[in-house]
Amino acid sequence: MSKLGTSRCALARLYLILLCLVPGVVSAEGSRSLYPVTYPSASVATGARANLDLQPGQKYVNRVNRQGFIYVYAQAGEYILLGSSNIGTESDYGGDVNVYNPQDFGTRGDETIPLTADFTCTGGSGAPGPHYFGPNVGSFRTRAAELAGPNSADGSATVSNGYLPCGYRAPVSGIYGVLFTRANNGGISGNVTTVPPSNNSVAGWEVAVRASASSLLDLDGRAHTFAFVGFTGGNNRPVFSTLYYVTNDGYRYQQDLRGLDPNGYALYANTFGFLDNNQPLYKTLRGDNALVSNLPPGITTQFADFPIFFSDIRPGAAAEAEAARVLNALGIPLAPPSPQISQVAFNGSLGGAVTSTGVGGTFSFNTTNTVSYQIVVSRDGVDFDPANPLNRVLTGIAFSGTHQVSWNGLDNSLTPFPASVTPYSYRAYGRNGEVHFPIIDAENNGNGTTVIGGGPTITRLNGANPGDSTVFYDDRGYVTSSGSQVGNLNGTLCPGPVPGAASQPASLDGTDSASVYRFWQNGGNANTDCRVSPVAGWGDAKAVNLWTYFLTPQFDEVLEIREFPVDVATTVAMPATAAPGSNVQGTFSFSNNGSDSSVGLISYSMNMSPGLTNVTFGNLPAGTAASYNSADGVVTLTGFATTLTAGQSYSGMIFSYTAPATGPVTVTTGIATAGGVADSVPANNNASAVTAIGAVDVATRITGIPATAAPGATISGQVIFSNAGPQDALDVSYTFSIGTPGNTPTNVQFSGLPAGVGASYNSATGEVTLTGMPATLAAGDILSIGFSYAAPGNGGASIAITSAISTSSEDAVSSNNNADVVTLVSSPPPPPPIDPSALPVPALPVPVLLLLVALLGGMGGSRLRRSRSRE
């Protein structure tokens, strides 16, 4: 580096030091982070303010409470500084700020608020202080004060235009909860230039951490939340805020809204977004109210799981070091791992990688450091676009371990892949860093003129390829696994073209989110289904899905689909679990996948568990009917054709019933040929599905553990706890052990822990103590804990790993509440016998060789003399 360059670097470092030392140069976290001095103009045409929503009891997608709850990490003795535009002694104000000491706040985004605060701006605290509170303390009334930030907690140091904050001296190190309260009166203007009081939200709010009561230096990166619930109070009030997210496996992402125009809305992030019978849906939800709370059967949503920061936490940013303290406290790694996929294979119904039309088979593969998978079967071997209706994309949950995924042989249009003499190509990927960014009830996304919108932009900040802004979405219509049709399959999500989705309604190959990629049709705020009110903005009453991830290198392979003359087939599917009294919906089908029309009579059959109530059938072909006999469970099918032409099918037929008090409920279907016509593939002539009845289905399993291992080998795996039931599981307890007393491994380590979870190992007993595990396990939630250990050095040892889960809720399936695997440490093979002739002759130094020659010569002379004397 040149002397000039060195001098410039030194000056830059000096300038940064001076920034920290000069009074008045401060930063803070809160509304000023969302609407900084550089925020777009206060004109409602170019930039608006979204208040922090404070309307508890209303839950977006049944998960996110409309009550903004802020978390902040502080070390013992540090000060938490607070400010609010709702604080004041005048009649229109009367708000407060509550602080709660570190504890379990329950479900993220839907926190359980403690009955009593440990500190308030109006009343202070009984903990050792000093604390700073009282009438009007923590109040700021102007935009200038919001931008300036707080003076020191004790008032000894000030900043220009600053205000006197509340100050709570943290009694212990940990993550505190902060709840702002509403003012007595006031509304929402959406104007960035003012911070008026509000009786349903808070316009200006601030949370800062400082080392002492006299300090002006904020420790940015400490404040965070798990769901940002905003309220602009109207439309044509676009928002341009930036938020920062961190996944549980350590990937960091930046979200720039770029003119999103909601009214009341929610932003949060988790691993899988929306679930269809406990598998990722990868679609947008269409609702009929502002909260998007009425969902089709089998559809659930994950809760808000990933921390959201208000300061830039990218590697090297000013707030990164303090954010690292938060991530360490949450158990989130500072650097993400690299995913891997291996041993990908397809096992068809005919053996090997061969199957028949409409039958499919099973994909198997191993993954490491992954959270999900993606398999794309290409129709032509060239186009692998997952959104292509002629291809088939399979996606789902896949943490580290061995996986098997069933494929029914259908494409994305739900029609069979045809037989072909040319094998079909498929690609498999593992994924990590997967993050979904739901956008709940945002009517508009820019206006296309003064505000282009079309975002948001999502940028990866660390790991492989930082700066990448690729995202994925699918706003087309679909059919759920339970048979509910949402919009038009692979067409519009709404019944018709109005309101219109983005001009590119789906991008499953990925699109650059820095571009205008998702500008949808503008409109009003009807808070109802688009069938009822097509003039509302397309995002109205919807939970818009958006996601990204990091892919492994692709794994390419082929499979074969053969043709048979006659192959009649049937399928049936319904949810794995259902709560007593709930409406359960399933689908069934009959088809001829063969190349010829079936000859002779075809018979159809269907049976359901007896004693069911409210059994109905829907989407039946014209002229057909189905009736259920409660006494014996037999379903009488009438009007179905006695012959089926090649490729003809009755698909998408629906049945429903009210779940009984106990289960399980079994549904079977059958199809058969007669008249001497043999079915070429009889294996698919019968099908069955089972639904377990219960409020929850908690389960555990252990993946990635080999049956045998060499002494000293590193063995790694994952223990998984989940709830596949329709409701949240209460009073959940978890147990986990690695080894048994007197037979425990060494170097036990844990990785990829869920946020806020800790794990410690007792090498004497083998027990793993888990802390921070949720007492309430949400429906569809999956907790994965990575672990590794060194196999004992002696052969013959066996290491048993066990896990268990229990709940006070009614568990639909108890057989999956325990898991155990055993690894046998093999004895090392005996060393091979030594062959003396194969031993190398050592090279000896010259003096040693001369000495040996002399000695041997002397010994030879002695023998000669003795021999001669005997003669």
Side-chain angles (χ1 to χ4, degrees):
M1 181 181 290
S2 66
K3 291 183 178 180
L4 178 59
T6 303
S7 299
R8 286 175 174 171
C9 288
L11 287 173
R13 287 193 295 269
L14 178 60
Y15 177 69
L16 290 175
I17 293 172
L18 290 174
L19 283 178
C20 296
L21 295 177
V22 174
V25 182
V26 297
S27 58
E29 296 184 288
S31 60
R32 183 160 61 119
S33 307
L34 300 173
Y35 318 107
V37 68
T38 55
Y39 194 72
S41 167
S43 166
V44 294
T46 54
R49 177 191 296 270
N51 288 13
L52 185 65
D53 209 342
L54 298 174
Q55 300 183 76
Q58 304 177 55
K59 295 183 182 180
Y60 289 110
V61 292
N62 303 313
R63 285 293 176 210
V64 176
N65 202 346
R66 290 188 68 174
Q67 179 171 256
F69 191 80
I70 308 299
Y71 295 81
V72 60
Y73 175 82
Q75 298 187 103
E78 293 179 337
Y79 274 83
I80 301 174
L81 275 61
L82 308 151
S84 169
S85 59
N86 283 347
I87 289 180
T89 56
E90 298 92 331
S91 61
D92 283 347
Y93 289 84
D96 208 341
V97 186
N98 300 332
V99 180
Y100 307 93
N101 286 347
Q103 58 191 284
D104 181 6
F105 294 107
T107 303
R108 292 163 177 169
D110 186 17
E111 287 80 7
T112 300
I113 307 302
L115 295 177
T116 304
D118 296 288
F119 172 84
T120 66
C121 283
T122 58
S125 173
H131 310 293
Y132 302 92
F133 58 95
N136 294 315
V137 176
S139 172
F140 61 86
R141 308 290 182 83
T142 66
R143 171 67 169 164
E146 178 186 40
L147 291 175
N151 298 326
S152 66
D154 62 6
S156 63
T158 62
V159 297
S160 178
N161 295 320
Y163 67 94
L164 182 63
C166 318
Y168 179 44
R169 187 175 185 269
V172 296
S173 297
I175 296 178
Y176 292 74
V178 179
L179 181 65
F180 294 84
T181 69
R182 296 176 287 187
N184 296 327
N185 297 290
I188 300 176
S189 70
N191 198 325
V192 176
T193 63
T194 61
V195 284
S198 173
N199 64 358
N200 57 19
S201 57
V202 57
W205 55 277
E206 200 147 37
V207 179
V209 178
R210 292 178 180 172
S212 67
S214 60
S215 174
L216 290 176
L217 178 61
D218 293 329
L219 302 175
D220 287 342
R222 300 285 193 89
H224 58 285
T225 187
F226 287 90
F228 181 81
V229 284
F231 198 11
T232 65
N235 290 117
N236 197 25
R237 296 178 177 180
V239 179
F240 294 84
S241 299
T242 296
L243 297 169
Y244 301 86
Y245 299 75
V246 185
T247 67
N248 286 340
D249 51 4
Y251 280 93
R252 306 181 190 188
Y253 294 97
Q254 175 177 324
Q255 179 189 55
D256 298 297
L257 294 184
R258 288 175 42 202
L260 189 74
D261 181 23
N263 190 331
Y265 67 104
L267 301 173
Y268 60 99
N270 52 34
T271 307
F272 300 118
F274 314 135
L275 303 173
D276 181 2
N277 285 326
N278 300 300
Q279 286 295 323
L281 178 62
Y282 296 106
K283 300 285 186 178
T284 285
L285 301 182
R286 186 180 119 193
D288 61 4
N289 59 67
L291 300 175
V292 199
S293 57
N294 295 332
L295 305 178
I299 300 299
T300 56
T301 59
Q302 281 199 313
F303 66 93
D305 194 26
F306 297 160
I308 306 172
F309 291 84
F310 305 103
S311 296
D312 189 347
I313 58 171
R314 76 186 67 219
E320 183 194 18
E322 299 304 327
R325 298 180 188 272
V326 178
L327 298 179
N328 285 330
L330 293 174
I332 296 177
L334 301 183
S338 296
Q340 299 176 8
I341 188 171
S342 62
Q343 299 181 357
V344 181
F346 175 75
N347 183 29
S349 61
L350 302 178
V354 183
T355 188
S356 55
T357 302
V359 178
T362 302
F363 292 96
S364 61
F365 52 93
N366 292 342
T367 61
T368 303
N369 295 327
T370 55
V371 297
S372 64
Y373 69 90
Q374 176 175 295
I375 299 172
V376 179
V377 185
S378 172
R379 182 62 64 94
D380 60 8
V382 177
D383 179 0
F384 286 86
D385 183 359
N388 187 337
L390 297 179
N391 294 339
R392 180 56 184 267
V393 58
L394 302 171
T395 53
I397 299 168
F399 293 101
S400 296
T402 300
H403 309 280
Q404 291 187 329
V405 177
S406 297
W407 174 45
N408 56 11
L410 306 183
D411 60 21
N412 289 334
S413 308
L414 303 181
T415 58
F417 263 70
S420 173
V421 294
T422 303
Y424 289 100
S425 297
Y426 66 88
R427 286 179 179 172
Y429 304 86
R431 308 191 296 208
N432 72 356
E434 180 164 345
V435 52
H436 289 245
F437 302 94
I439 304 171
I440 314 299
D441 194 35
E443 291 75 24
N444 306 320
N445 192 11
N447 57 26
T449 54
T450 56
V451 180
I452 301 301
T457 299
I458 306 294
T459 307
R460 186 186 302 140
L461 301 179
N462 67 339
N465 196 23
D468 183 84
S469 54
T470 301
V471 295
F472 308 87
Y473 65 96
D474 191 346
D475 295 334
R476 300 173 300 170
Y478 53 95
V479 177
T480 71
S481 63
S482 295
S484 295
Q485 184 163 334
V486 182
N488 303 299
L489 179 60
N490 297 319
T492 58
L493 186 63
C494 290
V498 179
S503 57
Q504 184 181 356
S507 179
L508 297 181
D509 264 344
T511 190
D512 184 2
S513 62
S515 64
V516 178
Y517 67 98
R518 215 176 186 187
F519 172 68
W520 58 69
Q521 183 172 334
N522 283 343
N525 180 28
N527 289 329
T528 189
D529 185 77
C530 50
R531 174 184 285 107
V532 177
S533 181
V535 298
W538 179 86
D540 184 38
K542 291 183 179 66
V544 178
N545 202 356
L546 177 69
W547 65 91
T548 189
Y549 44 69
F550 179 72
L551 286 172
T552 65
Q554 68 192 41
F555 190 102
D556 291 332
E557 197 45 87
V558 297
L559 59 87
E560 182 181 346
I561 299 179
R562 292 181 182 172
E563 183 177 80
F564 291 90
V566 178
D567 177 20
V568 293
T570 183
T571 64
V572 62
M574 59 182 178
T577 58
S582 64
N583 179 60
V584 182
Q585 181 174 291
T587 63
F588 65 108
S589 70
F590 301 108
S591 62
N592 177 15
N593 298 326
S595 59
D596 296 336
S597 299
S598 59
V599 180
L601 298 177
I602 292 180
S603 61
Y604 309 85
S605 64
M606 184 175 188
N607 289 272
M608 306 174 70
S609 294
L612 300 176
T613 59
N614 300 318
V615 176
T616 61
F617 298 89
N619 202 31
L620 298 176
T624 66
S627 62
Y628 168 75
N629 187 324
S630 176
D632 57 12
V634 173
V635 176
T636 301
L637 302 170
T638 58
F640 288 83
T642 57
T643 62
L644 294 175
T645 60
Q648 183 179 355
S649 67
Y650 297 116
S651 61
M653 296 180 291
I654 297 172
F655 62 91
S656 65
Y657 60 89
T658 299
T662 59
V665 173
T666 301
V667 178
T668 62
T669 57
I671 187 171
T673 58
V677 177
D679 193 319
S680 306
V681 188
N684 55 14
N685 288 13
N686 296 278
S688 65
V690 178
T691 295
I693 304 301
V696 304
D697 179 18
V698 295
T700 183
R701 59 192 177 97
I702 301 166
T703 66
I705 300 300
T708 61
T714 298
I715 299 173
S716 60
Q718 289 188 315
V719 59
I720 297 171
F721 299 101
S722 62
N723 175 18
Q727 299 178 10
D728 296 349
L730 306 177
D731 304 316
V732 180
S733 61
Y734 314 81
T735 60
F736 177 27
S737 65
I738 304 175
T740 54
N743 191 22
T744 57
T746 59
N747 195 30
V748 175
Q749 298 183 10
F750 301 96
S751 62
L753 297 172
V757 172
S760 60
Y761 182 66
N762 187 324
S763 59
T765 64
E767 295 179 352
V768 178
T769 299
L770 299 173
T771 58
M773 295 287 281
T776 298
L777 190 58
D781 196 15
I782 300 173
L783 304 176
S784 174
I785 298 172
F787 62 90
S788 64
Y789 66 86
N794 57 311
S798 60
I799 302 299
I801 302 175
T802 63
S803 61
I805 186 171
S806 63
T807 174
S808 64
S809 301
E810 182 182 10
D811 196 350
V813 184
S814 59
S815 59
N816 56 14
N817 291 12
N818 297 273
D820 60 89
V821 296
V822 176
T823 297
L824 177 64
V825 181
S826 58
S827 299
I834 298 176
D835 181 3
S837 64
L839 294 175
V841 178
L844 299 176
V846 173
V848 175
L849 288 172
L850 292 175
L851 177 60
L852 286 174
V853 170
L855 290 173
L856 290 173
M859 292 173 63
S862 299
R863 292 194 188 97
L864 181 60
R865 286 192 294 272
R866 285 196 297 272
S867 176
R868 285 175 176 172
S869 65
R870 286 196 295 269
E871 293 177 352

